[in-house]
Amino acid sequence: MKDFDVGAHELGKVLIPKNRLQERVSELGQQISQAYDGKDLALVAILKGSFIFAADLLRAMTIQCSIDFMGISSYAGQPGSGVVRITKDLDESIAGRNVLLIEDIIDTGLTGSYLLQTLRQRKPANIEICALLDKTARRIIDLPISYHGFEIPDVFVVGYGMDYQQAYRSLPHIAILHPNSKSIAEPDLSGE
Ligand code: IMP
Ligand code: MG
């Protein structure tokens, strides 16, 4: 197996333990099931970061819905610009359907805003966002987030599907990744 080169970084403390994630994801599943009861619902999970959350959320839901996947990546050298490239498009049309976008984390909001814009052109009946994590402190674009699991401070997190250079997705909890090098600034945990 490939050794991941995660450079000068090390895992920090657990921010959200496995049992809290499971509890919250079940609550979200129930909430979404009530909100969409009797309606047609298409889940659209954004790859890769949301695949574990989406799988658990789907199993926590009590209504029938479809699920489709969209792969995106930021344009090389421009992470955080909000300009994303679609690496895998949806298999099915979303025209006329109620769409719930499943995201791992909303940070600046640029990616979510781009996705909303792009998907609205396909004429869904309605489109809402469900994000596991919400880093409100770093928001640049105001984004309507209908469902979110946890609000977190401005720290870089990994686990439960989320990666740093493709590593750590398999952690069952969410942990903070700390830069281990003096050349990289420590994340500000003060929340200011
Ligand atoms: P935004 O466009 O700034 O809202 O960034 C959204 C995307 O950046 C997320 O879907 C993640 O893929 C990635 N991202 C932002 N913060 C983190 C983090 O703390 N850990 C892992 N990925 C992150
Ligand atoms: Mg993502």
Side-chain angles (χ1 to χ4, degrees):
M1 191 188 145
K2 176 181 185 288
D3 274 335
F4 289 108
D5 176 14
V6 294
H9 286 76
E10 61 182 29
L11 277 180
K13 71 165 186 155
V14 173
L15 187 66
I16 308 172
K18 182 181 169 181
N19 63 340
R20 268 306 286 142
L21 277 174
Q22 286 172 343
E23 274 170 20
R24 189 68 188 118
V25 173
S26 324
E27 285 169 8
L28 286 174
Q30 284 165 25
Q31 213 185 327
I32 292 165
S33 301
Q34 278 167 14
Y36 287 94
D37 191 22
K39 295 182 185 159
D40 165 56
L41 174 62
L43 298 184
V44 169
I46 307 304
L47 298 174
K48 300 176 187 169
S50 77
F51 80 107
I52 292 179
F53 173 44
D56 284 349
L57 185 68
L58 184 63
R59 284 178 291 186
M61 286 172 53
T62 52
I63 56 167
Q64 295 302 315
C65 64
S66 64
I67 185 161
D68 203 347
F69 300 91
M70 183 170 232
I72 58 164
S73 72
S74 25
Y75 269 109
Q78 301 184 358
S81 65
V83 182
V84 300
R85 187 166 59 92
I86 295 175
T87 53
K88 184 220 168 285
D89 207 340
L90 299 175
D91 291 334
E92 310 289 338
S93 162
I94 53 167
R97 304 197 63 194
N98 297 306
V99 173
L100 185 61
L101 269 187
I102 312 294
E103 263 283 28
D104 50 357
I105 178 163
I106 305 287
D107 185 16
T108 62
L110 291 167
T111 308
S113 152
Y114 172 85
L115 285 170
L116 277 186
Q117 230 178 31
T118 305
L119 294 175
R120 276 191 182 128
Q121 288 168 8
R122 304 183 186 187
K123 308 271 182 263
N126 176 44
I127 182 160
E128 292 194 298
I129 298 178
C130 170
L132 178 66
L133 306 178
D134 190 352
K135 251 193 232 181
T136 51
R138 282 177 41 91
R139 196 62 39 79
I140 292 175
I141 293 191
D142 192 30
L143 204 59
I145 303 175
S146 307
Y147 306 92
H148 78 178
F150 303 89
E151 193 171 318
I152 64 162
D154 182 11
V155 288
F156 194 87
V157 293
V158 292
Y160 198 64
M162 281 165 275
D163 74 309
Y164 175 68
Q165 296 188 359
Q166 301 303 322
Y168 305 124
R169 290 193 200 276
S170 60
L171 292 176
H173 51 258
I174 289 179
I176 298 177
L177 190 74
H178 282 291
N180 188 13
S181 152
K182 296 208 165 35
S183 63
I184 306 169
E186 276 286 328
D188 175 15
L189 286 162
S190 69
E192 286 164 15

